[in-house]
Amino acid sequence: MDKNEVLHKYFGHSGFREGQEQIVDNILSGRDCLCVMPTGAGKSLCFQIPALVMNGTAIVISPLISLMQCQVEDLREIGVSAAYINSSLDSAEYFDICRRAYAGELKLIYAAPERLTSESFLKLCDEIEIPLAAIDEAHCVSHWGQDFRPSYLKIAEFIRTLKKRPVVAAFTATATSAVKNDIKRLLELNDPFSITTGFDRPNLFFEVRKPEVKDDELLKILKNVSGAIVYCSTRKNVEYVGQMLLRNGIKAAAYHAGFSSEQRKTAQEDFLHDRVDVIVATNAFGMGIDKSNVPLVVHYNIPKDLESYYQEAGRAGRDGSPARCILLYSKSDIAIAKFMIEHSHEDSELSFEEQNELKKRDYLRLKKMTAYCETTACLRREILLYFGENYPHNCRNCGNCVNNVEVEDVTVEVQKILSCIYRLKQRGKTENINVIKNILLGISDSRIAENGYETLSTFGIMKSVKPERLQLIADYLLKEEYIEQDGQLCLLTLKADELIKKKGTVIMRFEKNKRPVPENNELFEKLKALRKKTAAALGVPPYVVFTDATLLDMCAVLPKNHEELLRVSGVGMRKAERYGKKFLSVINEYSKKTASF
Ligand code: ADP
Ligand code: MG
């Protein structure tokens, strides 16, 4: 059978996608390949079709058991004889596979990299014809990759021991040049045909949300959605979110590596077969899971890096139909991510120095991930830039492009901030960003008084600017490297010098204020009146009871009971207990009245 027949008859596809045919042709002509294609692009087909066309048994090396099982089941489903060899097999199963391989019955064997050094496996490989070794998720061989696996380093040696060298084809979704070079070198690819297909997935809508209460936001997002994946960073979160969804009447299954293989299998199959609407999982779920009709991927926590994010989010809309990828961001998640970095390389085979080196890279990646969450620029462009692709315009199909963004010229404010640092430098001083902000805002504290900063010409020149806005601009200057930090201390970069000299312009994008002042101010006015009365009785100023922001949030949330009141920003246990009843009764009265209209 030739490649086209295989494509139509076995896989049922009408044609090849970008890159696929070239790869298949190169493999068939005997040339090694290095293929970089984004998740969902269709890498598996690129080695499965040659495996079916060539004589003998192709070996596919793949890092995860679930990945192998999935692909092998799919292949069997379409009538291809394939098997996997990994630690989940008992010896009877293993010998049965060997028997079928010796008999020439298998077109593909999927093997975990750890198998490559086992004697019985080497013996088997010695006796069968192997035309192709395909290495899936090949970035696992690289320290620079996000999923480094030491056992991948043994692949080259394994291939060298084969009596006839097969064609070697490596596949990954990670495109950085360091990773590509490592793959070529460490897998000993021989003058490979290299291809990197475009990383853009135009059908995916990217969005970052910063909800005050994630659970509520998640429930809102999942309403009427069937087939969503919700990723959490920890097992604990998976269990919590899974329970929370069930409690709220959403059909959900949970999946993480701590569950028994039986439980995982059930969860996975319930999801694949649409028996549940949502699967809540750690990143252990999904690598290679071939469900093409996933309309939504939500990240409940920040992923560790953009590689992971794009791969996980990319599991949405594989069939090319419009799909959404929403990340729920809160600053507190960064602490969890850092904790995981600290402990991630602990039981690897690496030396202390190597571990530290990896940690450093992980921190850098996390920083970029955080920048993605905080940017107001086009999200698609940020992602593609990260993967080294230029995307010259705004995509009009991401949260930042279509939502609440306002573009403003902040040149004058930037100049004030930079010149404050410059004036300090003239006095031989460097300071951290908080001190600099206070100088600009004209807020005198002991540090400022001790150093006589009140006499700086920049003291108080941004008095009328809101502190939050100043913070946003300062963050932007750090991110765009106008300011660099030595520890906490802020220094001007060349870029800043140039801006001061040439008087260029700085344009920033700000999120519009998301919380609208209630259209009908009636409730807000009532709450203010109640606040005033309450405060007067206690002899304290009104804002001590609740701030305006809290009252506005009450208007937006319209809490019905004590529990819901606690979700309002600025309402803690204590205030809820002290003032809750009265405020709730005003809100309830108002809700009843408006509901009856
Ligand atoms: P990757 O490994 O690159 O993430 P997969 O190999 O899992 O991607 O394929 C993703 C999806 O694309 C699968 O549902 C697969 O059936 C589908 N697919 C692959 N190639 C084609 C094609 N030529 N035409 C239509 N669908 C395809
Ligand atoms: Mg794949």
Side-chain angles (χ1 to χ4, degrees):
M1 239 192 269
D2 76 1
K3 63 180 184 193
N4 287 311
E5 272 178 279
V6 173
L7 178 73
H8 303 309
K9 291 214 173 118
Y10 281 96
F11 293 94
H13 298 320
S14 53
F16 285 105
R17 285 187 182 159
E18 186 193 349
Q20 286 179 327
E21 187 165 21
Q22 280 166 289
I23 296 165
V24 169
D25 286 345
N26 274 283
I27 293 177
L28 291 176
S29 77
R31 186 161 175 198
D32 285 0
C33 290
L34 169 53
C35 314
V36 183
M37 298 161 87
T39 307
K43 290 185 282 295
S44 336
L45 215 78
C46 300
F47 55 82
Q48 288 166 343
I49 289 185
L52 287 171
V53 174
M54 293 160 122
N55 288 325
T57 309
I59 304 281
V60 182
I61 294 156
S62 164
L64 283 185
I65 292 180
S66 69
L67 179 101
M68 292 181 215
Q69 289 175 342
C70 234
Q71 290 200 14
V72 167
E73 273 163 29
D74 284 352
L75 286 169
R76 286 185 185 154
E77 202 59 40
I78 60 172
V80 175
S81 64
Y84 55 82
I85 295 183
N86 60 38
S87 56
S88 75
L89 299 181
D90 62 30
S91 56
E93 288 169 318
Y94 180 64
F95 284 119
D96 185 52
I97 289 168
C98 292
R99 184 191 56 73
R100 287 163 60 210
Y102 282 123
E105 286 172 18
L106 292 173
K107 292 308 293 177
L108 297 106
I109 295 179
Y110 283 72
E114 293 77 19
R115 287 286 121 187
L116 302 178
T117 46
S118 109
E119 222 162 276
S120 64
F121 184 67
L122 287 172
K123 189 160 165 285
L124 173 69
C125 291
D126 218 29
E127 299 194 14
I128 60 176
E129 185 181 353
I130 301 174
L132 168 66
I135 293 116
D136 207 2
E137 315 292 349
H139 59 276
C140 292
V141 78
S142 169
H143 276 203
W144 296 96
Q146 76 276 23
D147 296 308
F148 173 60
R149 279 165 199 258
S151 56
Y152 260 61
L153 292 170
K154 308 244 163 78
I155 295 174
E157 193 187 324
F158 162 75
I159 290 169
R160 262 185 268 126
T161 62
L162 297 173
K163 59 177 188 275
K164 182 165 174 287
R165 186 182 184 278
V167 179
V168 183
F171 297 85
T172 180
T174 307
T176 59
S177 57
V179 172
K180 281 198 247 187
N181 285 334
D182 268 5
I183 293 175
K184 257 188 237 174
R185 187 170 58 87
L186 297 167
L187 294 177
E188 298 175 1
L189 299 182
N190 181 8
D191 178 32
F193 165 71
S194 296
I195 181 168
T196 303
T197 64
F199 261 59
D200 189 17
R201 300 270 311 277
N203 63 317
L204 299 184
F205 181 92
F206 293 96
E207 190 179 358
V208 177
R209 296 193 189 178
K210 299 166 194 159
E212 270 160 31
V213 183
K214 277 192 188 177
D215 292 358
D216 292 355
E217 192 73 19
L218 184 61
L219 288 170
K220 213 158 67 186
I221 294 171
L222 291 176
K223 219 176 194 176
N224 304 325
V225 175
S226 163
I229 305 176
V230 176
Y231 279 109
C232 301
S233 61
T234 63
R235 295 177 185 184
K236 214 170 119 188
N237 270 340
V238 165
E239 288 171 27
Y240 164 76
V241 173
Q243 293 294 330
M244 190 275 292
L245 293 181
L246 287 175
R247 262 205 319 278
N248 283 279
I250 291 183
K251 275 193 267 169
Y255 184 106
H256 64 59
F259 290 136
S260 71
S261 61
E262 201 50 42
Q263 281 171 309
R264 270 180 290 159
K265 201 167 156 210
T266 315
Q268 186 170 313
E269 284 183 353
D270 282 349
F271 180 66
L272 290 179
H273 299 116
D274 294 336
R275 290 193 286 263
V276 294
D277 287 326
V278 179
I279 188 149
V280 187
T282 58
N283 60 7
F285 177 79
M287 215 207 244
I289 281 178
D290 191 9
K291 186 170 165 67
S292 58
N293 59 334
V294 175
L296 171 68
V297 173
V298 181
H299 278 74
Y300 188 82
N301 301 111
I302 190 172
K304 64 184 165 48
D305 48 41
L306 269 165
E307 283 92 342
S308 311
Y309 182 62
Y310 203 50
Q311 195 157 70
E312 287 157 17
R315 295 190 179 119
R318 281 188 167 196
D319 55 6
S321 56
R324 290 182 301 155
C325 311
I326 304 176
L327 198 162
L328 300 182
Y329 173 62
S330 83
K331 282 211 160 108
S332 57
D333 284 345
I334 298 171
I336 310 178
K338 286 188 172 162
F339 179 85
M340 307 222 323
I341 292 178
E342 276 307 311
H343 298 277
S344 60
H345 303 292
E346 258 169 6
D347 39 46
S348 63
E349 306 148 23
L350 304 171
S351 72
F352 184 70
E353 286 74 28
E354 284 172 321
Q355 286 186 26
N356 271 345
E357 196 53 33
L358 287 185
K359 268 189 214 167
K360 246 198 259 161
R361 281 173 208 165
D362 290 348
Y363 275 113
L364 201 70
R365 287 207 180 96
L366 178 61
K367 205 169 151 195
K368 300 235 163 112
M369 186 69 234
T370 314
Y372 171 83
C373 295
E374 296 193 342
T375 187
T376 48
C378 168
L379 293 172
R380 185 179 314 278
R381 190 170 63 204
E382 295 288 299
I383 292 174
L384 294 175
L385 267 180
Y386 183 80
F387 290 114
E389 242 177 78
N390 223 340
Y391 191 86
H393 27 259
N394 292 336
C395 75
R396 304 252 137 259
N397 189 31
C398 75
N400 285 356
C401 278
V402 304
N403 286 346
N404 319 290
V405 177
E406 264 164 339
V407 178
E408 278 184 59
D409 184 335
V410 289
T411 312
V412 174
E413 284 157 299
V414 168
Q415 280 166 343
K416 288 179 180 169
I417 299 171
L418 298 179
S419 62
C420 183
I421 301 174
Y422 182 72
R423 295 291 170 212
L424 282 165
K425 192 173 136 202
Q426 284 182 324
R427 293 196 183 179
K429 302 274 190 186
T430 44
E431 285 294 351
N432 70 39
I433 198 71
N434 288 326
V435 176
I436 292 164
K437 275 189 324 202
N438 283 344
I439 296 173
L440 289 161
L441 292 169
I443 299 172
S444 202
D445 59 18
S446 57
R447 178 158 187 87
I448 285 173
E450 273 161 28
N451 287 284
Y453 291 155
E454 282 126 331
T455 62
L456 283 167
S457 59
T458 48
F459 184 80
I461 51 168
M462 295 183 83
K463 219 185 306 187
S464 57
V465 175
K466 284 205 178 109
E468 301 83 45
R469 181 181 168 88
L470 180 54
Q471 178 71 51
L472 287 174
I473 302 177
D475 287 345
Y476 180 80
L477 294 179
L478 282 163
K479 176 178 166 254
E480 293 294 317
E481 296 177 342
Y482 286 95
I483 303 175
E484 62 186 4
Q485 283 180 313
D486 176 14
Q488 297 280 309
L489 301 176
C490 296
L491 307 170
L492 296 177
T493 62
L494 280 178
K495 202 169 165 185
D497 289 341
E498 267 161 29
L499 186 76
I500 295 173
K501 270 190 233 137
K502 284 194 198 151
K503 302 197 164 70
T505 46
V506 184
I507 306 289
M508 252 184 89
R509 295 156 68 89
F510 290 92
E511 251 172 86
K512 281 187 207 154
N513 194 357
K514 283 227 177 92
R515 183 171 305 123
V517 175
E519 253 173 48
N520 182 345
N521 270 339
E522 190 188 325
L523 178 60
F524 186 49
E525 293 306 326
K526 282 195 171 145
L527 293 173
K528 276 206 291 197
L530 174 59
R531 173 176 70 177
K532 201 168 167 192
K533 213 171 86 188
T534 313
L538 295 166
V540 296
Y543 68 83
V544 172
V545 177
F546 286 127
T547 63
D548 276 4
T550 298
L551 296 188
L552 280 174
D553 204 34
M554 285 184 193
C555 298
V557 175
L558 295 178
K560 285 189 282 298
N561 49 41
H562 185 80
E563 202 187 339
E564 290 182 8
L565 182 65
L566 284 169
R567 293 193 185 148
V568 172
S569 98
V571 182
M573 296 286 284
R574 198 178 136 81
K575 285 193 180 177
E577 245 158 57
R578 286 183 88 171
Y579 314 124
K581 262 201 188 127
K582 284 188 199 157
F583 281 82
L584 279 171
S585 83
V586 170
I587 295 167
N588 280 330
E589 199 179 305
Y590 171 83
S591 300
K592 247 185 255 155
K593 203 177 87 185
T594 47
S596 64
F597 276 126

